Amino acid sequence: MADPRKYPEITINPESIRQAIDARMNARLKMWMRICAHCGLCADTCHFYVAKDRDPKMVPSYKAQKLKEFVKKKGQVDEAYLKEIYDIAYGDCTVCRRCTMFCPFGIDMATMVATLRGILTSQGMAPEGLKAAIKNYQETGNQMAVSEEDWVETLKWMEEELQEELPGAVIPIDKKGAKIMYTVNAREPKFYPQDIQLAAKVFHVVGEDWTFPSKVGWDDTNLAMFAGDLKTAGYIVQLIRDAAEELQVQRVVITE
Amino acid sequence: MTFSALVEGPLLWIAFLTFLIGSALRLLFFIALSTKKDKPVYRYFNFKWMMLSILRWLLPLNVDIKKNPVFTILGYIFHICLLSVPLFYSAHIALWQESRFGWSWWQMPDVWADWLTLILIAISIFFIIRRLVLAEVRIITTVSDYLLILVCALPFVTGYLNTHPDGSAYAWVTSALPLYGQYSTLIHILTGELMLILVPFTKLSHWVLFFVSRTVIGVEFGRRNYTV
Ligand code: SF4
Ligand code: SF4
């Protein structure tokens, strides 16, 4: 039977894999690969392990220590191996860190799995949705590639609708010195603009001093982080920070 | 130099120094690399989170006691035996006193040493069986996990045999391995040296890195308001 799972296209470049590993190896990861006692205390703390009928392959340490195995191979891997790692890194772990709370050493297995994801992403091996989102962040500052005009227009439109119900209510844009800079999921302007209106309604009723940035830094999702792409993940956070500093706000509030 | 002089002399030095310097180097390697590549640990370092995280897990004050009481308590007892017998057994202290250092300190009654030794051996057997029986432990177990249990237990097994030469275990071992009787002390020292030498190169280095890892995660979880 054909494998029903879909994989991104795989090209294997041992040298590039080696470099990706080297760039990510830090003292913590090296320590955690060394000291895991293989005691199994983390086993039943993982929801995958419990949900999949105590499947030993769902033991957190098993998944996390794949990093050690991967590193040892020094880039000498084949397609089947990369697929196995891909399935573990994306299919068997949500990178939630629950297991760490039960590990006597506090081994951060989620970070180890995230490192696996990062290495794969660096080789172009990431779920298509995440890859598209990362490109959007890099090009437009938000995951849905909402343009600046569309963003501002959506805010104006929502403000108009809101004023029909609540005369005097506003959606302040680029208000310097406001107390709060509000940020949203880019899906809101794209698909659910009413959510923005609802938040504005709450802010209006409680008399909050708030604002949105007009350019970038208003999307608070960070899908690059889920692909272990720390460079883009850092860039996204930096956009938010820069916007907050430019507007001289006291707080950044994120959507739910 | 005879083999026994080697084992009791230079090799003993090598073992102790490998253990101490190797463990110190593990710590230094961590510091050297982490100051470059693990900056958040330093940026958010907090003494309170570090101490809380270390103490909660060094003492039986953590969640695993509730989750896996039997295994966790046996783990604590194993560590207590492993550290206390070599350090506080009377004949060991006598050797320190005879040595060039002339050191001596509190010693435990020999009957304690006997019991703690037997307990450690029993727990070691339990650990091996547990690794074989539980699927979730078997899958993460490597050959070195079994070997290291042996390496830790052997000084205790030989120590017990040698201090009970009239016992049936001793008779059984010497009949199976006639040379054992001749070299019993030497073999005991060698097993201890083997354990010390392996510490820096294996997961046994957790005797120092435990504190580092708990600090790292204490800082990381503390700053996020999780339980450290
Ligand atoms: S609890 Fe920690 S030390 Fe034990 S197997 Fe899991 S990760 Fe390794
Ligand atoms: S971080 Fe991964 S392995 Fe650990 S509990 Fe969460 S899903 Fe399971």
Side-chain angles (χ1 to χ4, degrees), chain B residues 13-67:
Chain B
W13 274 100
I14 291 172
F16 271 110
L17 290 178
T18 307
F19 167 68
L20 289 175
I21 298 175
S23 301
L25 282 178
R26 278 271 157 256
L27 195 63
L28 281 179
F29 287 158
F30 180 89
I31 294 170
L33 184 60
S34 62
T35 43
K36 279 192 225 102
K37 300 195 83 172
D38 304 70
K39 297 224 171 82
V41 179
Y42 297 94
R43 189 177 316 147
Y44 298 101
F45 179 81
N46 176 301
F47 186 76
K48 192 184 98 192
W49 294 332
M50 173 179 92
M51 289 317 287
L52 269 179
S53 182
I54 288 175
L55 289 177
R56 183 168 289 150
W57 291 88
L58 198 59
L59 306 173
L61 302 170
N62 53 70
V63 279
D64 284 340
I65 283 281
K66 273 190 221 116
K67 190 173 81 68

Side-chain angles (χ1 to χ4, degrees), chain B residues 105-145:
Chain B
W105 54 86
W106 179 82
Q107 61 184 61
M108 63 170 66
D110 286 355
V111 50
W112 290 20
D114 277 352
W115 277 108
L116 293 178
T117 298
L118 290 176
I119 291 169
L120 182 133
I121 295 169
I123 297 177
S124 300
I125 295 169
F126 168 78
F127 281 172
I128 290 176
I129 295 174
R130 178 178 176 275
R131 284 198 181 279
L132 289 167
V133 170
L134 296 183
E136 73 268 30
V137 191
R138 198 166 56 228
I139 194 171
I140 47 179
T141 297
T142 60
V143 179
S144 82
D145 291 325

